[in-house]
Amino acid sequence: MSLSETDDIEGGEILSLHQRILSDIREKILSGAWAPGHRIPFEHELTAHYNCSRMTVNKALSQLAKAGLIERRRRSGSFVRQPQSQAAVLELHDIRIEVEALGLPYRYERLERLKRRSSAEDRARLGLSQSGPVLALEGMHFAGERPFALEQRLINLSAVAEAAEEEFLQIAPGPWLIGRVPWSEAEHRIRAMAADETIADALDIDASAPCLVVERRTWSAEHPVTHVRFIYPAESHTLVARFTPSQG
Amino acid sequence: MSLSETDDIEGGEILSLHQRILSDIREKILSGAWAPGHRIPFEHELTAHYNCSRMTVNKALSQLAKAGLIERRRRSGSFVRQPQSQAAVLELHDIRIEVEALGLPYRYERLERLKRRSSAEDRARLGLSQSGPVLALEGMHFAGERPFALEQRLINLSAVAEAAEEEFLQIAPGPWLIGRVPWSEAEHRIRAMAADETIADALDIDASAPCLVVERRTWSAEHPVTHVRFIYPAESHTLVARFTPSQG
DNA sequence: CGTCCCAATATGTATATACATAATCGCCAT
DNA sequence: ATGGCGATTATGTATATACATATTGGGACG
């Protein structure tokens, strides 16, 4: 019920009061000592316990509320929330980084480059409502001499006109776009797929072998920028996502 | 360079000053008006612009810094950060929810239940260092009459003793565990795999058909709790992850 | 007995203020 | 030139205070 007797603990790191309140309460919740639904002490009680001002307590509680660990209700108090949907953070690195992390030399090679007016399929991929110029690219990321991932990309030239001038022979379009276009939103779709003949050929795997497909659509201030599909042979790649409720 | 002339804008919602500062600056960054590396106005300039106290500005900037949009350097000012690694939030819902979202009746059925001392493989899956009792479960999630996902689960009975008493005949272990065990950390691995004979049989798909595999390891206060592997037929499932830099 | 309204209460937001801390600039002495 | 040192500056953290706002509980009154 009450907070732990941390008053005499000395061995820890140097934490600001703010951070100490945060981690104290988080620990109570994550350890289960304060179950979902439990009412945590009122601000004025914490103020007394930590011998600090209400502002400091308030900031810490507001942060916990924003992180989704607690819910605050006026006149009633603050309550531990039910564990919500399992949300995990998926870090999608640049492929060069991934390959180099394996200790293998990285190389990108363009397979195809086509400038055209957007087809209906292109518009569906990009989420465009009207026709316009697009750049369709296909390229291979190599780890050493082995194909690592096949990239199929569509760039909306109305949003990124400069891309029309770029050949992308050895420069992968991903890193090129980052830094040039401030992207404000992205959507990822992850699925498994059997390699068709063309893909199997390009990746040098058996036809109908399983592949991991990661598709990403990117917007910049409401405008669709690019759609990209990465196709990895199943054995070459695993995505790792980690969830930690600590974010303060 | 300067902030937009929002002084005469009236049509917007009712926002607190704090939120208005946040969204103003976020908009500048996401629209690209303030490129990465750009120094945003000093706190005292924003104080003057919004005609408010430094504390209010400071809180907003601190929040942007925590969200990763800006970087703050003492004596130098605050700067727009380079877009970092593509981090996406992956929501992993309960399978019942997923199935019901498709408008199909949901059903869980236990296939196997085995209590044993942990084998070396079990310990590897759970991340345990020493031997102890575990519960191995296998079950099927159905969407209507079609198999939707195969679940292979391992529960560390040293961490969740009560699980030993539970039959899990129609109750899926996932929902059962949530609420009983406060989990503090989870790691997910996502990959593609070809169905072997057993799996293909269980899921009623062709042998060596591609599957999406989602593995999750869960800890509660440093103790491994459970390891679960969900195997989805490729055509039945796509994971969707969304990234928005806005989180204020 | 039910309904309306007010007072009490907990959180929400903002201010002015103070001092700490880290980094940089420029001056000065070598 | 150059190396060090102190003043300046911007952010970091905390306090006391004030008023706003939402919600609950209880009392007055029909």
Side-chain angles (χ1 to χ4, degrees):
Chain A
M1 251 350 183
S2 74
L3 285 161
S4 64
E5 280 68 37
T6 49
D7 311 78
D8 46 340
I9 285 177
E10 290 289 344
E13 310 156 53
I14 304 139
L15 289 177
S16 68
L17 199 39
H18 178 90
Q19 292 178 318
R20 191 173 136 213
I21 298 174
L22 265 176
S23 59
D24 270 16
I25 297 180
R26 198 160 26 221
E27 201 274 332
K28 285 273 183 235
I29 295 172
L30 297 183
S31 71
W34 289 349
H38 178 260
R39 207 210 77 225
I40 75 172
F42 293 128
E43 290 190 354
H44 71 262
E45 296 178 281
L46 292 170
T47 293
H49 183 271
Y50 287 100
N51 191 31
C52 68
S53 78
R54 187 168 80 89
M55 274 302 296
T56 305
V57 168
N58 181 285
K59 265 175 72 174
L61 292 188
S62 302
Q63 197 169 322
L64 285 170
K66 193 169 308 158
L69 276 186
I70 66 170
E71 186 189 336
R72 313 199 70 194
R73 287 201 288 273
R74 278 177 154 128
R75 171 67 223 248
S76 311
S78 304
F79 299 82
V80 178
R81 288 227 301 186
Q82 301 294 333
Q84 299 295 104
S85 63
Q86 300 249 25
V89 176
L90 188 63
E91 303 238 353
L92 295 149
H93 297 106
D94 192 83
I95 295 187
R96 169 190 292 277
I97 310 280
E98 286 177 7
V99 169
E100 288 175 349
L102 295 172
L104 292 167
Y106 169 81
R107 183 166 57 88
Y108 175 78
E109 192 178 288
R110 191 188 81 190
L111 301 176
E112 213 177 292
R113 178 181 179 281
L114 203 64
K115 208 163 94 180
R116 61 169 180 249
R117 278 195 79 73
S118 57
S119 68
E121 196 208 324
D122 292 344
R123 287 197 293 280
R125 277 177 68 186
L126 282 168
L128 277 172
S129 51
Q130 55 206 25
S131 184
V134 298
L135 186 66
L137 291 164
E138 193 160 322
M140 182 65 73
H141 300 263
F142 288 90
E145 283 315 304
R146 299 265 331 146
F148 184 77
L150 178 65
E151 170 170 344
Q152 299 175 335
R153 188 181 287 266
L154 216 52
I155 300 176
N156 178 13
L157 290 176
S158 311
V160 207
E162 336 151 53
E165 315 303 322
E166 185 61 47
E167 282 297 325
F168 297 111
L169 270 169
Q170 266 123 56
I171 307 166
W176 186 90
L177 281 166
I178 289 183
R180 237 162 280 248
V181 188
W183 52 282
S184 54
E185 218 171 332
E187 187 191 79
H188 297 86
R189 293 180 171 269
I190 299 154
R191 56 180 222 270
M193 185 185 82
D196 64 27
E197 195 112 351
T198 327
I199 292 172
D201 228 51
L203 285 172
D204 192 21
I205 55 177
D206 293 340
S208 84
C211 296
L212 187 69
V213 182
V214 177
E215 284 178 295
R216 176 186 312 152
R217 254 204 292 196
T218 311
W219 289 263
S220 174
E222 310 290 302
H223 298 292
V225 172
T226 185
H227 174 278
V228 60
R229 183 154 46 214
F230 296 106
I231 303 166
Y232 302 87
E235 64 279 7
S236 87
H237 206 61
T238 301
L239 294 173
V240 177
R242 201 152 232 287
F243 175 80
T244 348
S246 71
Q247 53 211 77
Chain B
M1 247 0 180
S2 74
L3 285 162
S4 63
E5 279 68 39
T6 49
D7 310 78
D8 46 340
I9 285 178
E10 288 291 342
E13 310 157 51
I14 303 138
L15 288 178
S16 68
L17 199 39
H18 177 88
Q19 292 179 317
R20 191 173 136 214
I21 299 174
L22 265 177
S23 58
D24 271 15
I25 297 180
R26 196 156 31 215
E27 200 275 332
K28 285 273 183 234
I29 295 173
L30 297 183
S31 71
W34 288 349
H38 178 261
R39 207 210 76 225
I40 75 172
F42 293 127
E43 290 190 353
H44 72 262
E45 297 179 281
L46 293 169
T47 293
H49 180 89
Y50 287 101
N51 190 32
C52 67
S53 77
R54 187 170 79 90
M55 273 303 295
T56 304
V57 168
N58 180 286
K59 263 175 75 173
L61 292 188
S62 302
Q63 197 169 322
L64 285 171
K66 193 170 304 162
L69 276 187
I70 66 172
E71 186 189 336
R72 313 200 71 193
R73 286 202 289 274
R74 278 177 154 130
R75 172 67 223 249
S76 311
S78 304
F79 299 83
V80 178
R81 287 225 304 186
Q82 301 292 334
Q84 297 296 103
S85 64
Q86 300 250 26
V89 176
L90 189 65
E91 303 238 353
L92 295 150
H93 297 105
D94 192 84
I95 294 186
R96 169 190 292 276
I97 311 280
E98 285 177 9
V99 169
E100 288 175 349
L102 296 172
L104 292 167
Y106 169 81
R107 183 166 58 87
Y108 175 79
E109 192 178 286
R110 192 189 80 188
L111 301 176
E112 213 177 293
R113 180 180 178 281
L114 203 64
K115 210 162 94 181
R116 59 168 180 251
R117 278 193 77 73
S118 57
S119 68
E121 196 208 324
D122 293 343
R123 288 196 293 277
R125 279 176 68 186
L126 282 167
L128 278 172
S129 50
Q130 55 206 25
S131 184
V134 297
L135 185 68
L137 292 162
E138 193 160 323
M140 182 65 72
H141 300 264
F142 288 90
E145 282 317 303
R146 299 264 332 145
F148 183 77
L150 178 65
E151 171 171 343
Q152 300 174 333
R153 187 180 287 266
L154 216 53
I155 300 175
N156 178 13
L157 291 177
S158 311
V160 206
E162 335 152 53
E165 315 303 322
E166 184 62 46
E167 281 297 324
F168 297 111
L169 270 170
Q170 266 123 55
I171 306 167
W176 187 90
L177 281 167
I178 290 183
R180 236 162 281 249
V181 188
W183 52 282
S184 53
E185 219 171 332
E187 187 190 78
H188 299 84
R189 294 181 169 269
I190 299 153
R191 56 181 223 267
M193 186 184 83
D196 65 28
E197 197 111 351
T198 327
I199 293 172
D201 228 52
L203 285 172
D204 191 20
I205 56 177
D206 293 340
S208 84
C211 296
L212 187 68
V213 182
V214 178
E215 286 178 295
R216 170 159 57 223
R217 253 203 292 197
T218 311
W219 290 264
S220 174
E222 310 292 301
H223 297 293
V225 172
T226 184
H227 175 278
V228 61
R229 184 156 44 215
F230 296 106
I231 303 167
Y232 301 88
E235 65 279 5
S236 87
H237 206 61
T238 301
L239 294 173
V240 177
R242 203 150 230 287
F243 174 82
T244 349
S246 70
Q247 51 212 80

